Amino acid sequence: PYVLLNYNETLVNQFTLVHEMGHAMHSYFSNEANPILDSMYKIFVAEVASTVNEVLLQEYLLKNETDKKKRMNLLNHYMESFKSTVYRQTMFAEFEMITNEMAEKGESLSADALCKVYFDLNKKYFGDAMISDDLIAMEWARIPHFYYNFYVFQYATGYSSAVSIARRILKEGRSAVDDYMKFLHSGCTKDPVSLLQIAGVDLNTPAPIEAALKVFEEVLDEMETLI
């Protein structure tokens, strides 16, 4: 696999590079270890390797950074990742669920109706502390994911799984790395949930999601302390 990107030595570029290398690594190991029919991993696990790399980089930088402002920048980046990948994608999934239910009931999916659903969800997810201006109601129209199969929830499960895997690697070392490598080599030889179990993540329970949200809480607590 090739990774094609512009690299300008910024922090964002560092995260982009390790993210895309995660995809390349996952594809390389899957293709190497399996016949073609079993090599193409499902979208449910497609963002796991890339995000494991991001979380490992994030944890490494935090471990080695003592400057207060730089540390706050890293913590903010960590929280933004959670916000955009876990909370926001879950909001997107709920938007899709509501609008599909409307269609099944024979209700009109007019622009006004979709704007109202989206605006109400923004207020629900971001709360009273965030001003939901009128224009945010139209944001649904520019989200390309909504024009594909129902899959955005997998960003949230993928990120939560990645946080659990990365934390396990940092805590347990070699045994966790070995399990993770088995996962990367497995392609689509099993269903996605079973594949993640190889890496120590069981999405049959809420534990991985709860563990990821606990990490978010820790990051938020430290940011509040530094502020």
Side-chain angles (χ1 to χ4, degrees):
Y2 288 89
V3 174
L4 305 176
L5 67 140
N6 296 319
Y7 187 76
N8 300 315
E9 299 186 3
T10 64
L11 180 65
V12 171
N13 282 172
Q14 289 181 33
F15 277 101
T16 300
L17 178 60
V18 299
H19 180 102
E20 299 306 333
M21 286 300 296
H23 286 306
M25 175 181 66
H26 196 179
S27 297
Y28 176 81
F29 288 134
S30 291
N31 292 336
E32 180 186 53
N34 301 285
I36 189 169
L37 293 179
D38 289 330
S39 64
M40 295 298 292
Y41 48 82
K42 302 297 184 182
I43 193 169
F44 193 94
V45 296
E47 294 296 332
V48 172
S50 57
T51 316
V52 166
N53 277 9
E54 283 198 61
V55 175
L56 288 174
L57 175 59
Q58 181 75 65
E59 296 285 351
Y60 171 81
L61 293 172
L62 284 171
K63 181 180 179 181
N64 292 279
E65 184 57 70
T66 57
D67 181 86
K68 178 180 177 180
K69 289 187 176 180
K70 290 181 180 179
R71 192 167 184 84
M72 289 173 69
N73 183 45
L74 290 170
L75 292 169
N76 181 69
H77 184 277
Y78 212 169
M79 289 190 294
E80 281 288 339
S81 297
F82 269 98
K83 184 268 291 182
S84 59
T85 313
V86 178
Y87 293 102
R88 197 159 185 261
Q89 296 293 339
T90 302
M91 183 185 78
F92 285 174
E94 188 167 355
F95 173 78
E96 288 190 297
M97 181 185 71
I98 292 171
T99 53
N100 274 277
E101 289 175 346
M102 290 169 62
E104 290 171 355
K105 294 175 184 177
E107 298 178 17
S108 173
L109 294 181
S110 66
D112 288 342
L114 294 174
C115 283
K116 183 180 185 311
V117 172
Y118 196 84
F119 184 74
D120 290 345
L121 283 173
N122 265 269
K123 290 197 296 183
K124 172 185 175 182
Y125 273 75
F126 290 98
D128 296 333
M130 179 74 71
I131 297 174
S132 295
D133 61 72
D134 293 339
L135 291 177
I136 198 65
M138 294 184 283
E139 188 185 35
W140 63 267
R142 74 161 189 84
I143 308 297
H145 306 71
F146 296 154
Y147 300 96
Y148 293 91
N149 296 332
F150 182 73
Y151 76 98
V152 292
F153 70 93
Q154 294 166 112
Y155 284 102
T157 55
Y159 191 86
S160 299
S161 299
V163 170
S164 295
I165 291 170
R167 281 294 178 100
R168 184 177 174 229
I169 288 172
L170 294 173
K171 182 179 179 181
E172 300 179 19
R174 174 48 56 186
S175 62
V177 172
D178 289 343
D179 288 342
Y180 180 51
M181 291 299 292
K182 291 176 185 175
F183 161 78
L184 293 177
H185 282 78
S186 295
C188 62
T189 54
K190 296 182 179 180
D191 65 90
V193 172
S194 297
L195 291 176
L196 286 170
Q197 288 174 337
I198 297 172
V201 176
D202 188 0
L203 286 176
N204 288 309
T205 75
I209 310 297
E210 293 171 350
L213 294 180
K214 182 64 177 176
V215 173
F216 178 77
E217 183 181 12
E218 293 171 2
V219 175
L220 178 60
D221 287 344
E222 182 179 352
M223 176 66 96
E224 291 177 335
T225 299
L226 292 176
I227 291 174

